[in-house]
Amino acid sequence: MKPNPCLENIAPGYLFPEIAKRRSAYQQAHPELKVISLGVGNTTEPLFDTIADGLVREAQALATAEGYSGYQDEGSAALRQKISEVFYGGRFSIDEIFISDGAKGDVGRLQLLFGAGTPVAVQDPAYPVYVDGSVLIGAGGPHDGTGYAGIAYLPCTPENKFFPDLAKVAPGSLLYICSPNNPTGYVMTRAQLEALVAFANANGAVIIFDAAYSEFIRDKALPKTIFEIAGADACAIEINSFSKPAGFTGVRLGWTALPFGLKYDGGGSVNKAWSRVTATIFNGASNIAQAGGLAALSEKGLQEIRALTDYYLENAHLIKQALEDRGIRTIGGYDSPYVWAQFPGRTSWDVFDELLTKYNIVTTPGSGFGPAGESFVRFSAFGHHADVREACARLAKG
Ligand code: PLP
C-alpha cells in the first residue's frame, strides 16, 4: 500500500511542535522560572452557566424515552433557525445553514466542492488549514520551504492595509479570506469587503469567508459577516464557530452558511452539492453540543458570549498597550483576540527566542503562518487575566 501522493506534499506540522520544543528546553534549563504562554488560540475560561446548563439538560434528556434522539444529519432545525436570526437577520432559510462540529472540519470538507483543478488563493499570512486542506485534495503541490506550489499567496501587510492584490488571483479561484484575521487581528472594512465581493462576482471566484472571530468585533462600522455585503450570496460561503466566543473549543460546534444563490458555472446549485457532500462523509454534530449552542444563542447566552469575549478583549487591549508602550508597532487587539507585533529587520524566530528568554513569554512566530508573516509575532489574548497582567508587567520592566 502506498500513501496518497497528496499526503506526501503536505509540509510536516512544524510550527507548534517547534514552539513546544524550544519552550520545554528553556523550562528544563530554568525550572525555577514561570513561563507564560500567549502563544496559542485555545480558550482558557470556563463555560458560563446558561450554556453549561443547556449541555447538561440535553445530556440528561438523552437518558429519557421522550428526550432521546439519534442522528440529526443536517443539524437541529431550531439551532439553524436561531443562527439565521442571530447572525444573518433571519435572511437565510434553515436549508442554507449547515451545522458542523467546528469550522476547521468544514474548511477541510468544503474543498471537496471544487476539486483539485480549482486554483486556490490565500491571504498570507493565514490559518494553515486553508493551504494544507487544499494540498490534501490535490489543489496544491509540494512545499518548497516558503509555500506550496500552485497556490497563490497574497501578502497582507501594513503596507497594503491588509488587503490582497487581487490581480494575482486567477479567474475562477477559490479565495480564502479570514476577518477578523488569524493571525494578524486585522478586521476588513466594509469598503474592502465590497471590493472583494465585486471582484469575486466579476471573475467567477468563490470566497470562503472564515468569520470564526466575528463575535469579537465591537466597532459597529465593521461588518461581522460577508453577507452584510450586497452580492455576496452569489459568490461567498461563510464558516463560523462557537469555539472562541462561547468557549466550545473542546465541546465542538460550528456552522456553514451557504446561500441558494451560489451557483457553479453551469448553473448547478453549490448548496445542493454541499448537502450531498456533508450527508456522505459527515453524520452531524453532537446533539448535546447543539443544545449548548442553542442555549448560547438565547438572550442570556448571548450576554454570556459578550462577557466571555469582553474578557479576552481586555487581555488583548493590555497586551497591545504594553507593546506599544515599548514602541513596538502592533496591528489587531481591538475587535480581535490577536495582536500582531512587528519587529522590522528581525526574523520571527529570533524575536520569539528573545521574548522567551528575556521575558519568559511564549508567542507564535509570524513566519509560521506564511512568508509574509516574517518579522512579526502573534500574541494571543486567550489566557487568564492574572497571567496576561504578569506578562505585560514583564514587558513594561524591559
Ligand atoms: N478558523 C480560524 C481562523 C481559527 O483560528 C480557528 C481555530 O483556531 C478555526 C477556524 C477552527 O475553529 P473550530 O474550533 O470551530 O474548528
Side-chain angles (χ1 to χ4, degrees):
M1 184 72 77
K2 290 193 185 126
N4 174 345
C6 299
L7 260 182
E8 297 192 313
N9 285 338
I10 290 228
Y14 163 78
L15 180 64
F16 288 102
E18 180 63 22
I19 291 172
K21 198 172 106 196
R22 292 190 192 204
R23 175 188 178 156
S24 126
Y26 182 71
Q27 188 77 77
Q28 268 173 21
H30 305 279
E32 74 289 359
L33 296 176
K34 179 183 171 195
V35 174
I36 297 176
S37 175
L38 301 179
V40 290
N42 207 352
T43 46
T44 55
E45 301 312 302
L47 297 175
F48 277 91
D49 288 348
T50 308
I51 299 173
D53 287 348
L55 294 166
V56 169
R57 257 200 323 276
E58 178 65 13
Q60 285 170 338
L62 287 173
T64 66
E66 320 72 61
Y68 182 75
S69 60
Y71 293 128
Q72 294 179 330
D73 298 351
E74 58 292 307
S76 127
L79 179 59
R80 289 184 288 156
Q81 181 65 37
K82 194 74 182 169
I83 286 173
S84 176
E85 284 163 15
V86 169
F87 296 95
Y88 307 109
R91 59 199 292 271
F92 288 131
S93 83
I94 63 169
D95 292 331
E96 293 168 293
I97 305 290
F98 297 79
I99 306 299
S100 70
D101 56 354
K104 194 177 202 176
D106 266 2
V107 175
R109 287 186 287 265
L110 278 165
Q111 316 256 353
L112 295 171
L113 286 174
F114 304 97
T118 299
V120 170
V122 290
Q123 287 174 292
D124 172 22
Y127 182 52
V129 64
Y130 309 146
V131 286
D132 287 344
S134 303
V135 171
L136 260 187
I137 62 140
H143 203 277
D144 69 1
T146 52
Y148 288 109
I151 290 188
Y153 287 79
L154 312 173
C156 288
T157 60
E159 287 68 40
N160 63 10
K161 296 201 165 47
F162 294 91
F163 191 76
D165 177 2
L166 297 174
K168 290 189 175 162
V169 180
S173 285
L174 203 52
L175 173 57
Y176 286 88
I177 299 291
C178 177
S179 177
N181 191 270
N182 177 12
T184 67
Y186 182 79
V187 189
M188 285 212 169
T189 63
R190 185 170 298 275
Q192 288 179 326
L193 289 181
E194 282 169 354
L196 274 180
V197 166
F199 171 86
N201 279 324
N203 293 276
V206 170
I207 300 167
I208 306 252
F209 190 75
D210 187 338
Y213 297 96
S214 61
E215 284 310 291
F216 290 85
I217 294 179
R218 293 291 178 269
D219 181 345
K220 289 196 169 27
L222 295 169
K224 291 174 82 171
T225 157
I226 193 149
F227 296 117
E228 284 184 38
I229 309 300
D233 286 31
C235 67
I237 299 171
E238 182 164 296
I239 48 178
N240 209 323
S241 170
F242 287 82
S243 282
K244 309 300 165 95
F248 273 34
T249 42
V251 178
R252 310 302 304 143
L253 190 68
W255 73 90
T256 287
L258 207 164
F260 293 139
L262 184 64
K263 305 281 189 211
Y264 288 113
D265 287 348
S269 163
V270 181
N271 176 289
K272 254 203 189 125
W274 182 233
S275 218
R276 180 78 173 93
V277 168
T278 51
T280 304
I281 57 165
F282 179 56
N283 252 349
S286 144
N287 36 21
I288 299 174
Q290 292 188 71
L294 203 47
L297 300 184
S298 67
E299 206 180 318
K300 270 198 87 191
L302 287 168
Q303 286 166 9
E304 294 176 356
I305 284 182
R306 179 81 183 194
L308 187 61
T309 46
D310 274 346
Y311 181 96
Y312 293 125
L313 283 171
E314 192 181 325
N315 286 345
H317 300 162
L318 287 173
I319 295 166
K320 189 174 179 76
Q321 193 62 53
L323 290 166
E324 297 210 332
D325 285 349
R326 292 198 59 95
I328 296 162
R329 183 182 190 190
T330 66
I331 294 100
Y334 299 123
D335 306 299
S336 154
Y338 296 118
V339 180
W340 189 236
Q342 188 172 24
F343 296 84
R346 298 182 61 189
T347 70
S348 300
W349 279 110
D350 177 34
V351 177
F352 170 90
D353 284 336
E354 180 182 327
L355 290 165
L356 178 61
T357 55
K358 199 161 159 192
Y359 304 102
N360 307 321
I361 296 172
V362 176
T363 53
T364 311
S367 53
F369 295 99
E374 188 60 281
S375 90
F376 290 85
V377 294
R378 186 192 75 174
F379 287 79
S380 162
F382 294 109
H384 304 309
H385 276 336
D387 288 337
V388 170
R389 275 198 214 97
E390 187 178 336
C392 291
R394 291 180 192 171
L395 287 169
K397 261 199 218 133

